[in-house]
Amino acid sequence: MDERFKSTNTGRAALAGCESFVAAGMSKACACFRPAIFLSVLLLFQSGCQSVSMAPSRKREIHALVARYQEALNQKSADQLFSLLSDKISVDGMTDELSRAGLKAGMHWPPSAITNFQVLSTSKKDGLTSVKAAFYFSRSVLLMRFGIDDAMRIRTIDPVPLWKIPQAKAAKPFSVPFTETNGLMFVKAGVNGQTGFFLIDTGSSGLLLNKKYFQAEKMHGLPGFTSTVQGIKPVWGSATVRSFQWGELSAGEIRGQLHDFSVMETPAITPLLGAIGYEQLKTCSIRFDWRNKRISVRPATGRAQPEGSGGQPTAVIGFTHFLHAPALLAKFGNSTRRMIFDSGAQINLLPDLDGIETHFRKAEVVTRISDGGPIGKETALLGLVDEMKLGGLTYKNLPFAVFEVPYLAGHGILGSPIIQRSLVEIDYPKKTISIW
């Protein structure tokens, strides 16, 4: 079984606040002396334009708190950092548990010491004091926004890009064949002039690169972590993607997080270069046609009904996001569960059988679980759910594994078996899933 859910493949948790400056391209701009001076002047100008009136004592407390945050990063001390946090925190919109795991996993970063910091602005928002701060390195700068409560504890941490991060865009609608291997969909795409296979993975936050074919960049590598069936694991490598091309979908100057795909790669999909995730798909709709082994992609401005759609969908289901993944409700008997739609999951998954025991028929127990790399020894129960209702549609005898993936906050996963039974389209801009 290959049941994976990569909650973040770069430092989306702002892992100690690192992602914003590299992802925004600061590694090049700030390597030069003059741009660094320009940025410093710009930040100084911002600091004088955005602050609200505040008592001097409160300003001193905020300054001291940010100074302790800098010291914790320089000392690489998770205990020191956690002492500055509120009881419940959110890093880049993530849950408390996942935020703390991400911060801890990212304590190996930054590779060089923060030399100075600057509080740029303060404001009141949602009952918190919002503080924008700049942290300076010898050749770079990163911006962070903190939400600080009345007890002078940090409750929220968010990276602030200095300019718009490049996004993948589709020039026009396109349709391509996919290769099916072990119930998963792989397409041909190119990275930095190298062509190979990529997993289509709505459960990944962005572009993953196979560490077998790509090397981590030591100087500008981003910290990161992956939430897998074996728990939170730090990921130490990333690489610059100068060019990415899949059909009419392209991007440049983005980053790819290195991942272990050793178990997933087979002769039919060699070389397996990586996986395409949310950051590459979020401006488009993507349609999975399992019967004809094709995937169709259209930009947000494309036609609502591409050719071969089969008419109006049987169901159109609105979704929200759990982190980056589409999340929707499914009903099992009298029990309603929140499920994540993950095209990179080989099997559906439930964290437990509470309230649905009578609807589950046990098939076997397995102890071989993988997220693409080495196989773990966790135990999962396999079986069939006699009936699941999704947006008014009824699915009979769906295969499910029963296993609680750490840090999914009780969510289940709908994976490839749903795509194999239906024509499915995810429209990311409209936040809908259509099923024929």
Side-chain angles (χ1 to χ4, degrees):
M1 181 176 74
D2 179 77
E3 185 57 64
R4 314 148 15 277
F5 182 86
K6 294 164 291 300
S7 62
T8 50
N9 61 347
T10 64
R12 277 188 64 81
L15 303 175
C18 60
E19 182 182 8
S20 57
F21 94 101
V22 182
M26 289 302 300
S27 58
K28 289 185 178 180
C30 293
C32 300
F33 182 68
R34 289 182 179 178
I37 293 177
F38 170 75
L39 288 168
S40 298
V41 172
L42 175 62
L43 297 177
L44 283 169
F45 176 76
Q46 290 179 342
S47 67
C49 297
Q50 300 178 9
S51 293
V52 297
S53 178
M54 185 175 294
S57 59
R58 180 71 172 179
K59 290 183 178 180
R60 288 193 295 270
E61 289 177 330
I62 290 173
H63 191 277
L65 179 62
V66 178
R68 292 197 298 272
Y69 185 89
Q70 173 189 328
E71 181 182 3
L73 296 189
N74 283 343
Q75 295 295 326
K76 304 186 187 303
S77 170
D79 291 340
Q80 188 175 347
L81 179 63
F82 284 7
S83 71
L84 308 177
L85 306 180
S86 180
D87 292 339
K88 292 286 186 180
I89 65 167
S90 175
V91 180
D92 203 17
M94 297 194 301
T95 63
D96 175 79
E97 189 176 19
L98 194 56
S99 295
R100 292 177 186 273
L103 288 171
K104 187 174 182 179
M107 287 310 298
H108 69 284
W109 198 96
S112 61
I114 301 172
T115 60
N116 203 351
F117 74 90
Q118 180 183 6
V119 174
L120 301 176
S121 66
T122 56
S123 61
K124 297 294 290 186
K125 183 179 180 181
D126 300 328
L128 299 175
T129 301
S130 178
V131 177
K132 184 192 290 187
F135 294 91
Y136 297 95
F137 300 81
S138 59
R139 292 188 174 183
S140 57
V141 60
L142 67 90
L143 265 63
M144 298 299 301
R145 189 182 301 278
F146 302 99
I148 302 173
D149 62 22
D150 292 337
M152 290 304 297
R153 291 290 185 267
I154 298 172
R155 189 178 299 175
T156 62
I157 305 174
D158 295 287
V160 180
L162 282 174
W163 48 69
K164 190 175 181 179
I165 299 173
Q167 292 186 352
K169 294 182 179 180
K172 59 183 179 181
F174 67 95
S175 178
V176 296
F178 68 80
T179 299
E180 181 268 324
T181 299
N182 294 324
L184 298 174
M185 297 172 289
F186 299 86
V187 297
K188 284 189 175 181
V191 167
N192 296 344
Q194 185 176 1
T195 301
F197 289 91
F198 285 79
L199 171 69
I200 298 298
D201 189 0
T202 62
S204 171
S205 63
L207 190 67
L208 298 181
L209 300 176
N210 193 340
K211 69 175 188 177
K212 177 180 177 180
Y213 302 105
F214 297 90
Q215 292 185 342
E217 296 173 357
K218 295 182 179 180
M219 181 174 180
H220 301 306
L222 288 172
F225 66 91
T226 296
S227 177
T228 74
V229 291
Q230 287 122 23
I232 286 288
K233 291 188 174 183
V235 179
W236 309 121
S238 67
T240 300
V241 176
R242 298 182 302 277
S243 64
F244 165 78
Q245 188 76 43
W246 173 42
E248 298 293 333
L249 187 70
S250 62
E253 297 303 323
I254 59 176
R255 298 200 70 82
Q257 191 73 53
L258 269 61
H259 188 75
D260 187 352
F261 287 93
S262 57
V263 171
M264 192 177 295
E265 189 171 29
T266 66
I269 52 169
T270 298
L272 176 54
L273 297 185
I276 297 170
Y278 170 73
E279 286 296 327
Q280 289 68 58
L281 304 173
K282 66 182 181 181
T283 62
C284 305
S285 72
I286 179 168
R287 177 170 300 195
F288 306 103
D289 184 349
W290 190 270
R291 177 180 298 177
N292 296 307
K293 295 294 188 289
R294 297 193 72 83
I295 294 176
S296 299
V297 178
R298 60 182 171 86
T301 56
R303 294 182 298 161
Q305 292 291 333
E307 293 182 5
S309 66
Q312 294 298 317
T314 306
V316 179
I317 308 165
F319 68 80
T320 58
H321 282 103
F322 178 76
L323 303 176
H324 50 270
L328 62 165
L329 298 177
K331 194 168 185 179
F332 303 83
N334 294 323
S335 178
T336 299
R337 296 297 185 93
R338 191 166 172 81
M339 309 294 288
I340 294 165
F341 193 89
D342 182 358
S343 65
Q346 191 179 29
I347 192 169
N348 305 314
L349 184 144
L350 285 168
D352 57 67
L353 293 175
D354 294 347
I356 59 175
E357 297 92 340
T358 59
H359 296 275
F360 182 81
R361 300 196 309 276
K362 175 183 172 181
E364 61 178 312
V365 176
V366 298
T367 57
R368 292 166 59 83
I369 300 175
S370 171
D371 67 334
I375 296 174
K377 297 181 180 180
E378 289 79 0
T379 299
L381 185 66
L382 293 181
L384 297 175
V385 170
D386 59 10
E387 183 176 288
M388 182 193 77
K389 292 185 177 180
L390 185 66
L393 297 176
T394 300
Y395 291 87
K396 300 281 190 179
N397 299 319
L398 275 174
F400 273 86
V402 181
F403 183 86
E404 185 174 5
V405 178
Y407 311 106
L408 284 193
H411 287 67
I413 293 176
L414 295 177
S416 177
I418 295 293
I419 298 173
Q420 293 178 36
R421 293 198 183 190
S422 308
L423 181 66
V424 179
E425 180 177 283
I426 303 176
D427 191 324
Y428 281 99
K430 293 183 179 179
K431 294 186 178 179
T432 60
I433 294 178
S434 300
I435 302 176
W436 285 262

